[in-house]
């Protein structure tokens, strides 16, 4: 390899405009080879636009990007030989069987017929699709389509894998299955960049998280760093009797050095905590001692809304306009 | 170095060997095979190439046939059926616009284009693959209609080479129609819109022509349109090459009627030369950002 540290993805000052809307305002980030980076942001933040530029589907109005060491603007073919892209919408071919989908992509990657067929069998097995390999993909469930889509993406063993919101629209079980598959992939040394709207997903899968909003990178770091900035895990109690909410909030606030958020409607009180399970145990004992009846008590992660609120000072805007402009 | 196996995990034995060559013919064929599989698996989308032409041959041959006299063959009761075949060939070839347009429009809308574009395949192979698949598809109605025609009493009555030339002309015209289809799909982008255009533009155009009736029977402006309509010209050229009735034209008829083969070739070449670059540009714009 030429230089170290080796970055599988390097984006510098990416700008993309659609008419008078600017989708990306100079985005910079770098993904070291063999690591997982999650690009986290709400709808319309520019995540898909960034992925499309890095995968040569779209060209930047300014800035440069290298993927697997090749310039996305001037060395598109070399880049395409080394990447895999799973787009937001599953792009499996419904009129082909699962096996035919993989076989076709193998052939288009010039693996040769026999090798493409072997690879298709292997991938069907790896992704628990062997039993349905000869069914038309249009008859697959959402989770199966996603798995096939992902298998299709890695047919040619890409060095760098891009997944654009890989689990959007999946039920929790299908999502967990897909996460397991991604874990295995990453274990084999593939560099992975995924976009997501879920902090939980970013945290579960990624080494590094790039938070992006309105086309700008607003934070970058591992999930621990980010959550520290947001205030980390939160302790939440839901009481049975609304009358006891105030008392419960007081107990919750005892060990914490932050303000307790009280929501009358849901009879809940929430406070950021850094001591995790220990705080949970202490609060649980204190609530029982005080004779407060509890419907729910637990640790809760900050939501993407809260991360945004903290990082930007403004809640997530539904930037649908911008999203439409990117269509 | 013994530590290598740890420092460089299992990737060494599966290090991708990138085929850096461009293989346009191979890529085109893989995409064409996909297109052909699609056709096999949605027979309903093949109706315009299977059921419809056969139905038209039978309907016109038996329902309208008796009422239409063919100039120069007024006394021959079977003349209309033979006259009809050139027309139905021409009409069905014109509908060839839609096969490729529907297939492309579907790909624009199901993410397939992005998938293909993220692959290291040769430039243009997606378009070429679709075109090739639809050129092969065009053989279906040509064969079916020829067989139906033989059943109702039509025959190629020209020389062997004229017959070959007739079928070659059909393929050439189909190729021109495919480019119109690519242009259409790239402009309107959805299968619904493609079908809309079918009924508004191409369907009437195949009737204001010599497809089903001799142009001499049409009134005023329609007659002029029909005489210059390339679809008439294809029908007339096929009648001439098959030596079927209906090729007798009055001396004062416009040039296309006297030179239907040449006129058809001019149209075919013109359509390809003009439409292909426009279609490629529209296609690239529609798959671009």
């Amino acid at each position: 390899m030429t230089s170290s540290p080796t970055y599988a993805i390097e984006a510098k000052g990416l700008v993309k405009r659609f008419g008078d809307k600017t989708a990306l305002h100079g985005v910079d980030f770098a993904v070291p080879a063999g690591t997982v980076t999650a690009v986290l942001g709400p709808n319309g933040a520019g995540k898909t636009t960034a992925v499309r530029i890095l995968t040569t589907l779209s060209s930047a109005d300014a800035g440069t990007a290298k993927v697997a060491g090749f310039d996305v603007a001037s060395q598109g073919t070399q880049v395409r030989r080394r990447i895999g892209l799973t787009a937001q919408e599953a792009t499996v071919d419904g009129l082909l069987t699962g096996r035919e989908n993989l076989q076709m992509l193998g052939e288009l990657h010039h693996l040769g017929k026999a090798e493409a067929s072997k690879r298709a069998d292997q991938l069907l097995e790896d992704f628990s699709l062997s039993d349905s390999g000869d069914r038309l993909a249009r008859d697959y469930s959402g989770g199966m389509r996603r798995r096939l889509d992902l298998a299709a993406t890695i047919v040619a063993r890409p060095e760098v894998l891009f997944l654009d919101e890989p689990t959007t629209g999946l039920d929790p079980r299908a999502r967990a299955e897909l996460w397991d598959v991604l874990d295995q992939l990453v274990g084999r040394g593939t560099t992975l960049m995924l976009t997501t709207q879920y902090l939980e997903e970013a945290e579960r899968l990624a080494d590094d998280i790039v938070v992006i909003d309105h086309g700008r990178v607003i934070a970058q770091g591992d999930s621990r760093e980010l959550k520290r900035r947001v205030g980390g895990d939160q302790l939440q109690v839901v009481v049975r009797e609304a009358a006891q909410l105030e008392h419960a909030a007081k107990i919750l606030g005892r060990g914490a050095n932050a303000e307790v958020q009280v929501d009358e409607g849901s009879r809940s009180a929430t406070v950021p905590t850094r001591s995790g399970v220990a705080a949970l145990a202490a609060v649980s004992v204190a609530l029982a001692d005080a004779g407060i009846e509890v419907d729910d008590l637990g640790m809760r992660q900050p939501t993407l809304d809260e991360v945004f609120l903290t990082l930007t000072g403004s809640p997530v805007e539904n930037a649908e306009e911008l999203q439409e402009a990117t269509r | 170095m013994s530590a290598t196996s740890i420092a460089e995990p299992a990737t060494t034995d599966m290090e991708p060997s990138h085929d850096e060559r461009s293989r346009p013919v191979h890529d085109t064929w893989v995409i064409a095979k996909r297109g052909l599989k699609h056709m096999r698996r949605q027979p309903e989308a093949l109706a315009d190439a299977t059921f419809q032409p056969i139905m038209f041959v039978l309907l016109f041959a038996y329902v309208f046939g008796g009422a239409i006299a063919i100039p120069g063959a007024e006394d021959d009761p079977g003349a209309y059926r033979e006259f009809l075949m050139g027309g139905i060939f021409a009409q069905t070839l014109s509908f060839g616009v839609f096969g490729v347009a529907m297939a492309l429009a579907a790909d624009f809308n199901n993410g397939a284009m992005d998938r293909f574009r993220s692959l290291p395949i040769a430039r243009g192979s997606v378009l070429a693959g679709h075109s090739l698949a639809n050129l092969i598809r065009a053989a279906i109605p040509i064969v079916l209609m020829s067989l139906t025609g033989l059943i109702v009493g039509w025959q190629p009555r020209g020389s062997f080479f004229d017959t070959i030339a007739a079928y070659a002309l059909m393929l050439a015209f189909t190729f021109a129609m495919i480019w119109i289809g690519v242009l259409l799909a790239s402009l309107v982008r959805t299968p619904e819109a493609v079908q809309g255009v079918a009924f508004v533009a191409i369907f009437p155009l195949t009737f204001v022509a010599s497809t089903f009736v001799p142009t001499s029977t049409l009134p005023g402006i329609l007659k002029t349109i029909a005489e210059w309509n390339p679809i008439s010209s294809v029908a007339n050229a096929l009648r001439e090459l098959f030596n079927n009735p209906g090729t007798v034209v009055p001396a004062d008829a416009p040039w296309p009627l006297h030179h239907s083969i040449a006129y058809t070739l001019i149209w075919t070449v013109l359509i390809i030369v003009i439409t292909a670059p426009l279609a490629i540009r529209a296609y690239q714009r529609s798959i671009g950002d």
Side-chain angles (χ1 to χ4, degrees), chain A residues 51 55 84-91 145-146 148-154 161-166 178 182 193 195, chain B residues 115 118:
Chain A
V51 168
T55 53
L85 165 66
T86 302
Q88 216 171 96
E89 309 264 318
T91 56
R145 283 174 73 91
R146 278 290 176 182
L148 179 61
D149 205 23
L150 195 57
T153 305
I154 61 165
L161 195 54
F162 294 88
L163 306 179
D164 196 5
E165 303 202 4
L178 199 73
L182 291 178
M193 176 177 144
T195 72
Chain B
R115 167 68 79 194
S118 71

Side-chain angles (χ1 to χ4, degrees), chain A:
Chain A
M1 295 288 132
T2 45
S3 65
S4 71
T6 336
Y7 288 111
I9 304 171
E10 278 180 278
K12 285 190 191 128
L14 292 182
V15 173
K16 180 73 186 178
R17 293 183 205 92
F18 295 101
D20 56 356
K21 304 252 189 260
T22 304
L24 296 179
H25 294 264
V27 163
D28 301 276
F29 60 85
V31 177
T35 68
V36 182
T37 293
V39 175
L40 178 69
N43 261 340
K47 304 187 299 287
T48 300
T49 307
V51 168
R52 290 180 67 86
I53 291 173
L54 294 172
T55 53
T56 78
L57 294 183
S58 177
S59 55
D61 293 317
T64 58
K66 277 188 166 186
V67 171
F70 294 94
D71 185 89
V72 293
S74 60
Q75 296 172 301
T77 309
Q78 283 93 330
V79 170
R80 287 191 285 275
R81 286 200 169 94
R82 290 163 179 82
I83 62 167
L85 165 66
T86 302
Q88 216 171 96
E89 309 264 318
T91 56
V92 299
D93 192 325
L95 290 169
L96 299 183
T97 66
R99 177 171 280 107
E100 285 168 343
N101 264 287
L102 299 175
Q103 169 92 29
M104 174 182 77
L105 289 167
E107 288 180 28
L108 288 176
H109 274 289
H110 303 168
L111 297 184
K113 242 185 162 135
E115 174 61 24
S117 160
K118 234 171 69 188
R119 182 80 178 133
D121 285 339
Q122 181 200 331
L123 284 168
L124 287 172
E125 199 176 315
D126 288 354
F127 286 78
S128 323
L129 290 168
S130 294
D131 292 341
S132 4
D134 294 317
R135 271 167 53 200
L136 292 189
R138 68 175 167 200
D139 300 328
Y140 281 18
S141 71
M144 288 163 72
R145 283 174 73 91
R146 278 290 176 182
R147 294 210 300 277
L148 179 61
D149 205 23
L150 195 57
T153 305
I154 61 165
V155 161
R157 303 187 173 92
E159 294 167 33
V160 186
L161 195 54
F162 294 88
L163 306 179
D164 196 5
E165 303 202 4
T167 63
T168 298
L170 290 190
D171 61 46
R173 198 182 129 204
R175 174 171 300 169
E177 281 173 4
L178 199 73
W179 284 352
D180 288 342
V181 170
L182 291 178
D183 278 340
Q184 290 172 27
L185 272 181
V186 172
R188 293 179 205 162
T190 310
T191 306
L192 175 61
M193 176 177 144
L194 72 135
T195 72
T196 180
Q197 300 189 39
Y198 309 110
L199 182 60
E200 185 196 5
E201 180 162 278
E203 191 185 11
R204 164 77 170 67
L205 296 170
D207 303 309
D208 276 305
I209 299 176
V210 175
V211 185
I212 164 168
D213 184 38
H214 290 107
R216 290 192 172 83
V217 173
I218 56 172
Q220 209 163 13
D222 65 25
S223 65
R224 205 179 290 241
E225 286 164 21
L226 284 180
K227 287 174 98 177
R228 205 172 297 136
R229 291 177 61 178
V230 191
D233 285 336
Q234 301 191 320
L235 197 55
Q236 184 177 53
V237 60
V238 180
V239 296
R240 179 153 306 162
E241 304 292 340
Q244 297 186 310
L245 185 57
E246 203 179 328
H247 192 180
K250 221 171 268 169
I251 292 173
L252 219 55
R254 243 176 240 161
N257 47 6
E259 205 179 321
V260 182
Q261 304 283 329
V262 177
D263 182 45
E264 308 263 353
S266 60
R267 302 190 312 281
S268 68
T270 311
V271 72
T273 175
R274 291 198 182 140
S275 38
V277 183
L280 184 63
V283 167
S284 148
V285 170
L287 286 172
D289 286 349
I292 296 174
E293 278 194 275
V294 168
D295 268 355
D296 190 19
L297 171 66
M299 307 288 295
R300 177 169 94 58
Q301 297 205 329
T303 62
L304 181 58
D305 280 315
E306 287 157 344
V307 174
F308 268 83
L309 197 59
T310 312
L311 292 175
T312 65
S314 67
V316 173
E317 260 178 62
N318 212 346
E320 270 167 19
E321 275 179 22
L322 194 59
Q323 210 191 14
E324 268 166 32
T326 64
R327 291 272 151 211

Side-chain angles (χ1 to χ4, degrees), chain B residues 19-195:
Chain B
D19 178 358
E20 304 284 353
R21 289 167 302 162
S22 175
R23 297 174 61 190
V25 175
H26 168 271
D27 296 347
T28 298
W29 178 237
V30 175
I31 308 262
K33 277 194 301 188
R34 165 183 179 266
L36 294 171
K37 274 188 187 137
H38 279 193
M39 291 170 198
R40 259 210 326 268
R41 284 169 192 172
Q42 15 173 214
E44 67 280 6
L46 275 178
D48 69 300
T50 52
F51 170 72
Q52 189 174 303
I54 294 176
M55 183 185 74
F56 270 55
V57 170
L58 298 177
L59 271 181
F60 277 88
Y62 294 108
V63 179
F64 300 100
I68 301 165
I70 304 305
E74 285 86 352
D75 303 328
D76 177 1
Y80 181 71
R81 292 183 201 161
E82 296 217 59
F83 167 85
L84 174 68
M85 288 308 296
I88 296 197
F89 275 123
Q91 184 191 46
T92 305
L93 297 179
S94 309
F95 291 157
V97 167
F98 298 105
V100 68
M102 293 294 282
L104 271 178
D107 275 0
F108 285 137
N109 288 286
N110 64 15
M113 284 300 174
D114 278 353
R115 167 68 79 194
F116 287 138
R117 289 184 62 229
S118 71
L119 295 175
I121 53 177
R123 253 176 97 83
S125 50
V126 174
L127 207 47
H130 272 295
S131 304
L132 180 59
N134 278 280
L135 207 52
I136 296 170
R137 177 196 201 257
I140 300 169
I142 293 176
V143 169
L144 286 177
M145 279 186 296
S146 300
L147 295 175
T148 317
L150 290 172
I151 292 168
V152 302
W154 164 83
Q155 261 183 46
R157 299 182 192 279
S159 72
F160 176 73
F161 289 107
D162 280 353
T163 304
I164 298 289
Y167 283 99
L169 190 68
M170 291 193 214
L171 283 182
F173 190 70
T174 301
F175 189 61
M177 291 301 107
I178 283 173
W179 282 111
I180 295 182
V182 173
L183 180 61
L184 173 63
S186 304
L187 292 177
V188 304
R189 295 185 59 93
T190 65
E192 294 78 16
V194 166
Q195 271 183 327

